[in-house]
Amino acid sequence: MIVSIVIAVIVIYLAIDWLTQKPNNFPPGPPTLPLIGSLPFMPRKLVHYTMAGEWRKKYGPVIGCMLGSMRMVAICGPQEVLEVLRRDEFQGRPKGDFFKDRSFNKYLGVFFSDGPFWVEQRRFTLRHLRDFGFGKKSMQDLIMDEVEDVIKEITKKETFQANGMFAVSTLNVLWGMLAGTRYSRDDAELKVLLKKLTRNFRAGNPAGGITASLPIFKKLIPGIIGHTEAMESLRDMQSFFRKSIQNHKTTIDENYLRDFMDAYLKEMNIQETNPDTTFTEEGLITICLDLFAAGGETTTSSIEFTLMYMVLYPEVQKAVHKELDAVVGQNRRPTLEDRPNLHYVEAVLTELLRVCSIAPFTPPHRTTKDTQINGYSIPKNTSIAICIYSLFQDKEHWGDPEVFRPERFLNSEGKYVKDDWMIPFGAGKRVCLGEVLARSTVFLFFTTLLHEFIFSVPEGDPPPSEIPLSGFTIAPQPFRLKASKRF
């Protein structure tokens, strides 16, 4: 009996050890242990600092990890990042419970789906978001309504907590396109959802958590802290979207579409008898979740970072004021039409995207076939973590990447110059579909707020920290601002 138990234990150990061993010619990386692989050696916070810094020096720009039995390759070299973003076999999305849990145990939406389903859904989403907001005039109107609301709030307070000030406003821009409505700044239901959304983003790790790498733990310990809270928040958001969809179903006029939900519901009705349709209510809920979660969080953090750096670098703020006065004047608001003439503003916003790296990693990719990079073998279905941050911090390219210096994007005549390495929204087939909206929102908030106010650190407060909060994306640590009217 004892011999049988010993043999069974040895067999199980060898099987587990085999499952967590790196494949032949796999990229170098941190050590692997039976069952858990490289998990104990993975950084817990600000993953991009470790991977693009210490690990890149130690292992090279292509790093291989085993997260349990799941293979993951981190791409942390600039040239390799640019290559992987454009090669078709790297454009899949990972499979597994972690990615299905958020979309009704299926692969839905436009972020974590792939193949023909993703192509059809992305094309439809992009086309109809353009109809209900990406068109320059309607998008600008939606954004400026929210900017004016924020200005009223700041004017009443003068000194305010920057974190969270813009969350409702940025989500209202998205919600105006998706559902044709907006929420007040003190809406109780939206505040609860925002709190849960922020908590999920801050608790997340772009390298994956234990339930993503070892889904068996979700079954063995169903109440595991973090996973349960994330799932509760997810269900709340799904209920929020479902309620709006039900309202749209009862009020829709297919001859007069009001917003994206109407367009999607109309397409569902058209394809109702098609057994292969990709248009379902669950799919619509997941698309709303994709856009609501990622778009709102990253845009809000971007606006917070822009103001934070203006008080840390007051000479840059003065230069922005000077250009706004010269181009816009004092009697009107900045518009998107002013953008081509605001060269210094454009340089500042680009440098902020570089320095802050709101999303240091793209959403995870997956190899759709066996392939190679830098001579290493990458098997099919390997999860790929692409570190965009490594592009923005390469010393050979930028010279002084650690320095906040907007002038690096200006030529000798003071004109804005694009840099091919500035791809904060990704590149290739998986480029973020919300890029136009995000850039326009940040531009109009930044220019209008700087046109209206001088921002400073309130007396007695410490200067904001440039070390960000960690999570799926990064965000500024809590800080306060003082806003003084300029005119």
Side-chain angles (χ1 to χ4, degrees):
M1 181 67 177
I2 294 176
V3 172
S4 298
I5 293 174
V6 170
I7 292 173
V9 169
I10 292 173
V11 169
I12 292 171
Y13 175 86
L14 292 174
I16 291 172
D17 185 55
W18 177 79
L19 283 171
T20 53
Q21 285 296 312
K22 293 181 178 179
N24 291 332
N25 196 36
F26 202 59
T32 60
L33 301 174
L35 181 63
I36 55 178
S38 306
L39 278 173
F41 309 100
M42 300 299 290
R44 297 293 179 263
K45 294 183 177 181
L46 299 173
V47 177
H48 55 296
Y49 286 175
T50 300
M51 287 190 173
E54 175 189 341
W55 281 18
R56 183 184 171 194
K57 290 178 182 177
K58 186 174 183 178
Y59 303 117
V62 181
I63 302 164
C65 307
M66 295 297 297
L67 307 181
S69 60
M70 184 181 80
R71 299 182 300 272
M72 186 192 83
V73 170
I75 308 297
C76 297
Q79 299 298 341
E80 291 77 11
V81 166
L82 293 171
E83 178 182 346
V84 164
L85 286 173
R86 291 176 170 86
R87 283 173 57 178
D88 284 348
E89 68 267 31
F90 286 96
Q91 304 312 314
R93 287 297 194 213
K95 305 296 183 184
D97 291 349
F98 180 77
F99 301 99
K100 292 167 67 178
D101 281 347
R102 66 188 299 279
S103 52
F104 307 97
N105 204 34
K106 304 168 188 174
Y107 297 108
L108 303 175
V110 290
F111 277 10
F112 297 113
S113 60
D114 53 26
F117 176 94
W118 169 72
V119 171
E120 183 175 27
Q121 290 293 306
R122 177 185 168 87
R123 185 179 294 129
F124 180 91
T125 301
L126 189 57
R127 182 172 74 250
H128 288 284
L129 282 180
R130 187 179 292 115
D131 291 342
F132 298 109
F134 279 17
K136 189 177 294 184
K137 186 176 187 302
S138 56
M139 176 175 63
Q140 182 160 276
D141 290 344
L142 281 170
I143 297 168
M144 288 306 298
D145 285 346
E146 300 305 322
V147 174
E148 296 295 346
D149 191 52
V150 167
I151 287 175
K152 291 177 184 176
E153 186 73 11
I154 292 175
T155 301
K156 286 189 296 185
K157 294 184 174 182
E158 188 175 332
T159 298
F160 63 96
Q161 182 71 37
N163 308 71
M165 172 61 74
F166 310 101
V168 172
S169 298
T170 55
L171 285 176
N172 268 337
V173 175
L174 277 168
W175 202 236
M177 297 181 187
L178 291 174
T181 57
R182 69 182 301 274
Y183 287 85
S184 66
R185 301 185 64 80
D186 57 356
D187 184 273
E189 184 180 20
L190 190 61
K191 277 187 172 182
V192 170
L193 284 176
L194 281 170
K195 185 176 181 179
K196 292 181 176 181
L197 181 64
T198 300
R199 183 181 63 197
N200 283 359
F201 264 84
R202 297 285 67 79
N205 187 321
I210 190 169
T211 55
S213 309
L214 296 169
I216 190 173
F217 275 83
K218 186 180 64 177
K219 298 174 182 177
L220 294 176
I221 317 173
I224 187 168
I225 296 174
H227 177 75
T228 300
E229 290 182 350
M231 288 300 102
E232 288 176 356
S233 299
L234 176 67
R235 303 307 173 221
D236 288 344
M237 283 187 277
Q238 289 173 338
S239 297
F240 178 81
F241 301 134
R242 193 185 298 276
K243 185 166 61 175
S244 183
I245 290 169
Q246 294 307 316
N247 178 262
H248 274 65
K249 282 183 175 180
T250 61
T251 59
I252 188 173
D253 178 352
E254 293 192 0
N255 295 313
Y256 178 70
L257 301 180
R258 299 161 295 184
D259 47 50
F260 179 80
M261 281 188 182
D262 274 357
Y264 201 98
L265 290 171
K266 179 179 179 179
E267 189 67 24
M268 283 173 56
N269 291 336
I270 291 172
Q271 298 202 28
E272 188 175 10
T273 58
N274 177 8
D276 299 319
T277 181
T278 65
F279 291 86
T280 64
E281 183 172 316
E282 290 180 344
L284 175 55
I285 291 171
T286 306
I287 289 175
C288 290
L289 176 65
D290 288 344
L291 299 175
F292 193 91
E297 170 70 20
T298 55
T299 305
T300 298
S301 295
S302 294
I303 296 169
E304 292 170 358
F305 271 123
T306 63
L307 299 185
M308 186 187 95
Y309 271 78
M310 290 306 96
V311 300
L312 290 175
Y313 296 87
E315 71 282 2
V316 173
Q317 183 175 183
K318 288 180 181 178
V320 169
H321 287 151
K322 182 178 178 180
E323 185 174 62
L324 286 171
D325 291 347
V327 174
V328 178
Q330 299 183 7
N331 299 318
R332 66 174 178 87
R333 298 295 196 203
T335 68
L336 293 174
E337 285 72 23
D338 293 316
R339 194 165 192 171
N341 300 316
L342 292 169
H343 294 276
Y344 188 74
V345 166
E346 197 69 28
V348 169
L349 291 176
T350 304
E351 179 71 341
L352 283 163
L353 285 171
R354 187 192 69 80
V355 170
C356 298
S357 297
I358 303 292
F361 291 85
T362 69
H365 288 223
R366 172 182 61 88
T367 49
T368 56
K369 66 178 183 180
D370 293 346
T371 188
Q372 287 197 338
I373 184 168
N374 284 15
Y376 297 114
S377 299
I378 314 296
K380 181 180 178 179
N381 292 328
T382 297
S383 181
I384 307 295
I386 304 173
C387 187
I388 294 285
Y389 172 81
S390 66
L391 278 172
F392 305 154
Q393 293 297 313
D394 185 76
K395 194 167 183 65
E396 289 186 17
H397 186 80
W398 302 106
D400 54 353
E402 72 285 355
V403 177
F404 176 70
R405 185 167 60 84
E407 291 76 13
R408 72 177 77 246
F409 295 104
L410 298 175
N411 63 18
S412 58
E413 298 177 348
K415 304 294 185 184
Y416 174 72
V417 179
K418 291 183 179 180
D419 189 295
D420 290 341
W421 282 30
M422 281 306 303
I423 52 169
F425 296 90
K429 292 181 178 179
R430 287 286 183 178
V431 66
C432 176
L433 57 76
E435 179 175 0
V436 172
L437 177 61
R439 286 185 181 275
S440 299
T441 302
V442 173
F443 173 83
L444 287 172
F445 267 86
F446 178 72
T447 55
T448 309
L449 290 172
L450 267 291
H451 187 260
E452 186 77 9
F453 300 108
I454 298 170
F455 291 97
S456 59
V457 178
E459 186 176 351
D461 281 15
S465 173
E466 293 185 65
I467 299 174
L469 297 173
S470 189
F472 284 121
T473 58
I474 65 169
Q477 294 190 40
F479 69 102
R480 296 198 312 152
L481 289 172
K482 178 182 178 182
S484 305
K485 285 277 191 176
R486 293 189 63 222
F487 311 121

